[in-house]
Amino acid sequence: MDYIKAFLIGGTICMLVQILMDNTKLMPGRIMVMLVVTGSILGFLGLYEPFAKWAGSGATVPLLGFGNTLWKGVKEGVMKDGLLGLFTGGFTASAAGIAGALIFGYLGALVFKPKMK
């Protein structure tokens, strides 16, 4: 049942973003930034954590979850290091995910030989 819920929630988030992309003139990069900022704001307001516990991976994997991860890292960094944590906390919290994306993206590019458009 957890897999079905994650699929439905993640799919709904993706569907709403696709509708936004199709019906507005917003560029995809701006929409991605909007999702990350929305996840951070929802985390700050304390709304994202209960939603993520209920929805599971369907809520934590999309860009909304990345924004929430950044927020949690900044919050922990500020509590631990003060003002310096404001600048380092988000990087510390998201380093593993970013490194994984870069490494697997590079390996995928080696295997599949991408072409420039």
Side-chain angles (χ1 to χ4, degrees), residues 16-112:
L16 293 173
V17 171
Q18 188 65 48
I19 290 170
L20 184 66
M21 290 175 70
D22 291 344
N23 294 320
T24 66
K25 293 184 180 185
L26 291 172
M27 299 298 290
R30 292 184 180 199
I31 292 172
M32 290 186 338
V33 168
M34 188 171 55
L35 288 168
V36 172
V37 170
T38 301
S40 298
I41 291 171
L42 290 174
F44 170 76
L45 296 174
L47 300 174
Y48 199 82
E49 199 64 35
F51 173 63
K53 285 183 181 178
W54 175 76
S57 295
T60 58
V61 173
L63 284 172
L64 288 169
F66 180 67
N68 186 52
T69 300
L70 289 175
W71 160 249
K72 287 192 298 189
V74 167
K75 182 179 171 184
E76 290 175 14
V78 167
M79 290 189 328
K80 180 181 173 191
D81 299 326
L83 185 61
L84 184 61
L86 180 67
F87 301 103
T88 61
F91 292 116
T92 303
S94 61
I98 293 171
L102 289 172
I103 291 167
F104 288 114
Y106 179 72
L107 292 174
L110 287 177
V111 171
F112 295 107

